[in-house]
Amino acid sequence: MKIAVLNSGSSSLKYKLFLMPEGKEIESKLVEHIGEEGSLIVNHHDALDSLNLKYEDIDAFGHRVVHGGEVFSDATLVDERVVEVIRELIPLAPLHNGSNLEGILVVQDKTPSTPQVAVFDTAFHTTMPEEAYRYALPKEMYTKHQIRRYGFHGTSHSFVSKRAAKILNIPYDKVNLITLHLGNGASICAIENGKSIDTSMGFTPLEGLVMGSRSGDVDPAILLFMQRELGMSVSEVDTLLNKESGLIGLCAENDVRAILSSDSEDKVLAIKVMVRRIRKYIGAYMALLGHVDGIVFTGGIGENAVAIREMVMDSQLFASLEVLVIQTDEELEIANKVMKLVAKGDSHG
Ligand code: ADP
């Protein structure tokens, strides 16, 4: 069975084709600059056309969808209702769900009879208990406006935690892990008996760790100060927090390789701020879990930056933790989920 995986971002489209169940990657393509000034690729329709897919050879499509809200606790076959719900969730993830949905609709248009599956970044974290996902805000902010912590990077935390359980030879529903996805975006997850019980990203992927260009945790009063005292607009604050903060904000660079090879004061400090935040979260998650079977590093930084791993783990408290470095593969995890759902659909139909 051939499964195509699409990750439609606002200006890019990532595509991979897998032969399943072998999990063998047959093809991989990236279209960039969609809809940007001067680009020949005006929209996701053009982007998909430029991939020259042989639709008749593809048995199913899997789409990465960032926000599944409280509705989707697992991957789901796309139908009209699913399309509507993803659309309704756009306000919760304006940068992502719109373009994710665009990808689904374009494929539907090209090949209406091919099954499509949506795989949500939030789904893995729907097991969090209420005390983990509620903010200490007035109740109606949650009940009326859905303001709660959702968590993201779920596909990656799920993939590496399953691998880790296998390596440690512990049944997945018995394993306690702390998984660290450290890429340009970064999050950490506490997994108890194979279920996410807490994670550092919240209502949006902005909360938590120091990232390439995102601030992670800040005192929310700073945002009020920026607007009230510095006269910044909502969109200026949004851009500052998402695009101009994190490592970029601290040292004008977000490539950790470059930062590590420099001894400029700002760059050294940027790494210290990032590492300290990670260590605080690990300590907190150890307290929540009580017993930890392993700590997993993944993502571009987690997999490659040995120096960062050493700095993070340099604590007496962490000395007994088993450290695993596992390459994440979100596309393969999506293909696996698609295969399971499509196979199930076949057996019922
Ligand atoms: P994304 O979240 O965009 O998928 P990645 O998971 O690819 O990002 O991670 C990108 C980050 O990984 C960058 O900060 C990059 O500097 C870092 N990185 C990649 N390779 C190395 C390496 N060998 N040493 C240190 N950092 C690395």
Side-chain angles (χ1 to χ4, degrees), residues 212 247-248 251-264 266-272 274 308:
L247 296 175
I248 281 266
C251 72
E253 171 65 76
N254 69 349
D255 187 327
V256 168
R257 265 167 303 200
I259 302 177
L260 284 171
S261 64
S262 159
D263 51 12
S264 98
D266 285 350
K267 295 195 167 55
V268 172
L269 178 70
I271 293 290
K272 282 188 179 168
M274 180 180 84
I308 300 285

Side-chain angles (χ1 to χ4, degrees), residues 14 153 181-186 211-212 214 247 253-260 274 298-308 328 330:
K14 283 186 209 150
H153 283 153
H181 178 108
L182 306 177
N184 265 318
M211 308 179 216
R214 283 173 246 166
L247 296 175
E253 171 65 76
N254 69 349
D255 187 327
V256 168
R257 265 167 303 200
I259 302 177
L260 284 171
M274 180 180 84
T298 193
I301 300 169
E303 291 163 27
N304 300 302
V306 182
I308 300 285
T328 195
E330 287 159 287

Side-chain angles (χ1 to χ4, degrees), residues 210-223:
V210 176
M211 308 179 216
S213 67
R214 283 173 246 166
S215 63
D217 298 333
V218 292
D219 179 345
I222 295 171
L223 323 188

Side-chain angles (χ1 to χ4, degrees), residues 4-19:
V5 174
L6 290 179
N7 184 350
S8 322
S10 52
S11 66
S12 71
L13 177 67
K14 283 186 209 150
Y15 153 82
K16 278 190 183 176
L17 186 65
F18 289 95
L19 184 67

Side-chain angles (χ1 to χ4, degrees), residues 64-321:
R64 176 192 184 207
V65 180
V66 166
H67 217 306
E70 291 191 318
V71 186
F72 300 110
S73 57
D74 209 341
T76 182
L77 271 165
V78 174
D79 58 17
E80 269 174 46
R81 186 192 70 92
V82 171
V83 165
E84 268 331 292
V85 179
I86 296 172
R87 203 193 301 280
E88 282 164 19
L89 290 166
I90 289 177
L92 294 184
L95 292 179
H96 296 107
N97 268 39
S99 24
N100 299 158
L101 182 60
E102 191 67 24
I104 293 174
L105 295 176
V106 170
V107 173
Q108 230 169 31
D109 196 39
K110 298 267 177 201
T111 174
S113 59
T114 311
Q116 297 197 67
V117 171
V119 181
F120 303 92
D121 271 20
T122 47
F124 183 62
H125 303 296
T126 53
T127 48
M128 285 195 289
E130 191 160 5
E131 64 266 32
Y133 70 68
R134 283 288 294 278
Y135 290 108
L137 294 170
K139 189 174 175 182
E140 61 274 15
M141 286 294 146
Y142 170 57
T143 51
K144 279 205 191 122
H145 304 294
Q146 298 162 286
I147 297 178
R148 50 158 282 179
R149 315 186 62 256
Y150 292 96
F152 299 86
H153 283 153
T155 308
S156 177
H157 289 295
S158 159
F159 180 83
V160 298
S161 60
K162 278 188 269 181
R163 285 254 155 124
K166 279 217 176 90
I167 294 167
L168 294 167
N169 203 15
I170 300 172
Y172 192 59
D173 62 359
K174 298 272 184 317
V175 78
N176 280 15
L177 297 165
I178 296 174
T179 49
L180 277 149
H181 178 108
L182 306 177
N184 265 318
S187 70
I188 174 165
C189 182
I191 297 171
E192 185 174 50
N193 298 323
K195 293 200 166 86
S196 167
I197 60 151
D198 217 318
T199 190
S200 57
M201 284 177 169
F203 179 59
T204 74
L206 182 56
E207 192 178 342
L209 303 179
V210 176
M211 308 179 216
S213 67
R214 283 173 246 166
S215 63
D217 298 333
V218 292
D219 179 345
I222 295 171
L223 323 188
L224 308 177
F225 180 88
M226 287 171 173
Q227 290 172 76
R228 204 170 41 221
E229 303 296 326
L230 308 182
M232 292 173 70
S233 69
V234 172
S235 80
E236 282 170 342
V237 174
D238 189 344
T239 304
L240 179 136
L241 293 172
N242 279 295
K243 305 236 165 89
E244 299 165 0
S245 295
L247 296 175
I248 281 266
L250 285 164
C251 72
E253 171 65 76
N254 69 349
D255 187 327
V256 168
R257 265 167 303 200
I259 302 177
L260 284 171
S261 64
S262 159
D263 51 12
S264 98
E265 257 176 52
D266 285 350
K267 295 195 167 55
V268 172
L269 178 70
I271 293 290
K272 282 188 179 168
V273 175
M274 180 180 84
V275 166
R276 188 181 181 90
R277 183 87 50 89
I278 297 170
R279 287 156 58 84
K280 283 164 77 169
Y281 268 97
I282 295 175
Y285 287 177
M286 286 175 76
L288 287 178
L289 291 169
H291 164 77
V292 180
D293 297 303
I295 175 153
V296 184
F297 284 83
T298 193
I301 300 169
E303 291 163 27
N304 300 302
V306 182
I308 300 285
R309 289 203 300 267
E310 285 173 358
M311 280 184 252
V312 167
M313 296 308 295
D314 183 21
S315 160
Q316 203 52 45
L317 182 66
F318 306 162
S320 62
L321 288 179

